[in-house]
Amino acid sequence: MDYLSIESLQISYAQDNQITPALKDLSLSLPLGSIGVIIGPSGCGKSTLLSVLAGLNQNYQGTVLINNKSPKECDATALILQEYGLLPWKTTWDNVGLGLQIRGFSKKETVIRTEQILNKLGLFHLRKRYPAQLSGGQRQRIAIARSLVLEPELLLMDEPFSSLDALSREEMQDFLLELWQETNLTILLITHNIEEAVFLGQKIFVMSECPGTIIKKLSNPLAGDYSARGKIEFLETSNSLRSSLRGLN
Amino acid sequence: MQKIELMHKSFNILTGVIILIVFWYLLSLILNTPALPTPLTAFSSFFELFTSELMPHLTISFYRVGVSLLIATVLGVPLGLFIGKNKKADEFSAPLIYITYPVPKVVFLPIFLILLGIGNISKIVLITLTIFYLILVTTRDAARNLPKEYVLSVKSLRANEFELYRHVYFPACLPAILTSLRLGLGIAMSVLFLVETYATQEGIGYFIMNSWSSLAYDKMFAGIIAMGLMGFFLYLLLDAGEKVLCSWIHL
């Protein structure tokens, strides 16, 4: 049973009195508790796709179902943006508790849940700091905490580790994997990084240039294996993916 | 750390005051005219008149500026946020603001005196109108240029319009709003002086001009010192407000 199902998704924008298609006939599905990775050239509509799934864009044609509900009806999704989306004027504590506050949780419940998630992710000591006082990796962890505190079923991530240096990036990939193994979340992640796609994605979707559609679907048995990075199969899968992407240019 | 910063700031202010007084003293010696008394004469007059003559005028002036700043903020900030957030409202209002913003509002003083009388209302309306535009335009521009990423991230948490204003637009624009208030304060003090020189016998502007016309230059300078201190006090108040409300920009 697919948790996320997209059939013939189509999105167009009106630009300079012309209709420009952004996504065309895009279909993909993702089972519950799996990690899907979307990879494709810049400007192919990957972020537009996530905005539809997050319920931020309802001007689309086709069928999009998350646990048999439309994105607008489904409140079990959480979105993490490339630049983390943390508000600079709120402390870690307030940023993490913001979603709970917005969704009408009581003050007591907000405090309990915020404290729990910060402790779980080892961030409690940073609770009084503002985003400007944190490193890129810490900010990303806090953005993840802000999403997880809402206990989502589907986590959408838009190039979440692209601003990090190579080592922090690998650390965050391991961290995400740990979280996924603990929580059984369904994750859909966008990346430009081929190795990241192979390391994390049980299903890898390659998108075409604009108007974006899925041109290749790959099932990846190496995903979720911490020791995969050094294996020959990992390099082979990465190279195969690289060839697919080069074919687009 | 904060104590050191406060001491450093106090030291800077004190240095500025000393430089100003020394410059004033030298100028009064060079010009040697009763129209520019020495700082000692002016400050003696200031302390002598402070509670008796200056205080009632200062109170009314403070009331006029304070109320004007408050009304301009209450009107200008929500409107600026709304226009900056909504593209259609921005497109609709932009020509109107563009045409009316550069017009010096003080030219309307005679009209306001006729329509609203010679009491406080005409003066408050004129000061309010002058700083309202400044606050409106600054807030609108700040809201207009807000990074989309903040709006998207909070929208994705299922925030409604009110929550977007509360958690994103208002706090994000607050530093710009306080800057416009600081700039507006200087303009408000100038307009206050102008409006208090017409059709009134109350206010520090009147006190200064009345002392000038009766050739009481030491009293006139006592009034100037009082007006300067009032502006300085309000400026410090806004500064302290920014430190408390926007601590995140000073990290």
Side-chain angles (χ1 to χ4, degrees):
Chain A
M1 177 66 190
D2 289 327
Y3 181 75
L4 169 66
S5 159
I6 304 174
E7 283 291 325
S8 310
L9 177 66
Q10 208 146 312
I11 294 185
S12 301
Y13 288 114
Q15 201 175 34
D16 302 328
N17 296 326
Q18 274 191 329
I19 302 292
T20 312
L23 296 175
K24 196 180 170 189
D25 200 22
L26 187 147
S27 299
L28 66 82
S29 60
L30 207 55
L32 180 71
S34 61
I35 303 183
V37 171
I38 298 176
I39 194 163
S42 296
C44 70
K46 301 187 293 284
S47 300
T48 307
L49 173 63
L50 281 204
S51 71
V52 169
L53 297 176
L56 299 172
N57 185 349
Q58 283 136 54
N59 297 320
Y60 63 86
Q61 290 168 302
T63 313
V64 179
L65 291 174
I66 302 166
N67 200 16
N68 286 322
K69 291 179 201 158
S70 74
K72 177 79 182 157
E73 289 166 344
C74 180
D75 59 1
T77 54
L79 173 68
I80 296 175
L81 298 163
Q82 190 177 357
E83 291 302 322
Y84 323 120
L86 296 175
L87 303 179
W89 44 90
K90 286 190 187 281
T91 58
T92 296
W93 179 274
D94 291 336
N95 263 302
V96 173
L98 182 62
L100 296 168
Q101 201 185 336
I102 286 172
R103 293 191 184 190
F105 282 79
S106 69
K107 260 191 180 170
K108 196 179 162 190
E109 184 73 12
T110 302
V111 169
I112 291 169
R113 281 201 187 201
T114 307
E115 197 172 326
Q116 266 175 357
I117 197 73
L118 286 176
N119 275 323
K120 190 178 170 187
L121 302 188
L123 300 166
F124 190 72
H125 64 291
L126 302 173
R127 67 192 179 283
K128 289 181 182 167
R129 296 212 193 151
Y130 287 92
Q133 295 171 305
L134 303 166
S135 69
Q138 287 171 330
R139 278 185 229 176
Q140 190 52 270
R141 279 167 205 256
I142 287 158
I144 291 173
R146 185 169 78 173
S147 299
L148 293 186
V149 78
L150 299 169
E151 297 179 354
E153 289 168 3
L154 174 64
L155 188 60
L156 306 164
M157 305 179 92
D158 191 355
E159 297 181 44
F161 312 135
S162 61
S163 316
L164 303 178
D165 60 80
L167 273 180
S168 308
R169 190 177 190 129
E170 283 192 6
E171 265 177 38
M172 284 306 296
Q173 289 165 358
D174 292 349
F175 174 72
L176 184 68
L177 217 50
E178 271 171 44
L179 270 179
W180 172 69
Q181 283 162 351
E182 275 175 35
T183 54
N184 201 33
L185 270 168
T186 308
I187 298 174
L188 186 63
L189 181 141
I190 284 176
T191 185
H192 276 298
N193 187 300
I194 291 167
E195 282 73 24
E196 187 167 277
V198 178
F199 183 68
L200 293 171
Q202 291 173 311
K203 279 194 167 191
I204 301 170
F205 305 98
V206 181
M207 272 180 83
S208 68
E209 284 187 321
C210 190
T213 190
I214 304 294
I215 50 162
K216 191 171 183 180
K217 293 176 190 177
L218 237 133
S219 286
N220 174 28
L222 295 165
D225 177 2
Y226 289 96
S227 60
R229 285 188 187 108
K231 287 183 180 168
I232 191 83
E233 295 95 316
F234 186 86
L235 290 174
E236 280 170 1
T237 314
S238 300
N239 282 336
S240 153
L241 199 55
R242 193 168 283 114
S243 305
S244 302
L245 286 164
R246 278 195 182 140
L248 295 172
N249 297 322
Chain B
M1 190 73 186
Q2 271 184 335
K3 214 173 175 179
I4 294 169
E5 204 179 303
L6 193 73
M7 276 172 65
H8 185 70
K9 200 169 179 183
S10 307
F11 177 76
N12 283 345
I13 291 171
L14 194 71
T15 312
V17 170
I18 291 170
I19 290 170
L20 192 73
I21 290 176
V22 169
F23 181 73
W24 177 0
Y25 179 69
L26 290 175
L27 201 66
S28 67
L29 286 184
I30 293 164
L31 295 177
N32 193 23
T33 160
L36 186 66
T38 62
L40 188 67
T41 316
F43 275 99
S44 304
S45 176
F46 170 75
F47 288 117
E48 194 183 312
L49 301 172
F50 187 73
T51 44
S52 56
E53 285 188 55
L54 281 170
M55 205 52 185
H57 290 289
L58 210 53
T59 310
I60 192 80
S61 294
F62 188 80
Y63 167 75
R64 285 166 181 162
V65 169
V67 170
S68 303
L69 280 173
L70 194 71
I71 297 173
T73 308
V74 167
L75 295 177
V77 171
L79 196 62
L81 291 177
F82 177 75
I83 295 172
K85 182 181 176 294
N86 297 284
K87 213 177 167 192
K88 279 190 179 168
D90 194 11
E91 281 168 2
F92 175 76
S93 63
L96 207 70
I97 295 171
Y98 190 78
I99 293 165
T100 52
Y101 181 48
V103 177
K105 312 298 173 295
V106 284
V107 299
F108 297 112
L109 178 62
I111 300 168
F112 287 149
L113 285 175
I114 296 165
L115 294 177
L116 304 169
I118 58 168
N120 279 333
I121 295 176
S122 56
K123 293 164 183 61
I124 288 172
V125 167
L126 192 70
I127 302 169
T128 302
L129 191 67
T130 311
I131 39 182
F132 162 78
Y133 270 92
L134 191 69
I135 294 170
L136 176 77
V137 171
T138 315
T139 311
R140 179 199 64 179
D141 291 353
R144 205 194 256 168
N145 300 323
L146 186 73
K148 274 188 184 164
E149 161 209 341
Y150 300 142
V151 180
L152 268 184
S153 79
V154 177
K155 258 190 177 175
S156 76
L157 298 171
R158 310 275 157 161
N160 59 28
E161 287 288 292
F162 172 73
E163 282 156 344
L164 279 178
Y165 279 114
R166 182 183 164 199
H167 295 294
V168 184
Y169 282 94
F170 180 66
C173 297
L174 199 54
I177 292 168
L178 288 166
T179 302
S180 72
L181 272 171
R182 272 196 296 243
L183 293 170
L185 177 67
I187 300 168
M189 294 300 287
S190 311
V191 179
L192 173 80
F193 179 76
L194 187 83
V195 296
E196 285 185 342
T197 54
Y198 286 97
T200 185
Q201 291 192 329
E202 285 175 320
I204 204 73
Y206 163 77
F207 180 85
I208 292 168
M209 290 310 282
N210 190 45
S211 307
W212 170 68
S213 58
S214 50
L215 304 178
Y217 296 120
D218 54 337
K219 272 178 81 176
M220 183 181 84
F221 269 86
I224 292 171
I225 292 169
M227 197 160 187
L229 285 177
M230 185 173 82
F232 182 64
F233 172 71
L234 282 168
Y235 193 86
L236 284 185
L237 215 63
L238 287 172
D239 221 29
E242 195 203 43
K243 285 265 174 344
V244 175
L245 298 170
C246 308
S247 53
W248 57 279
I249 57 168
H250 299 289
L251 298 172

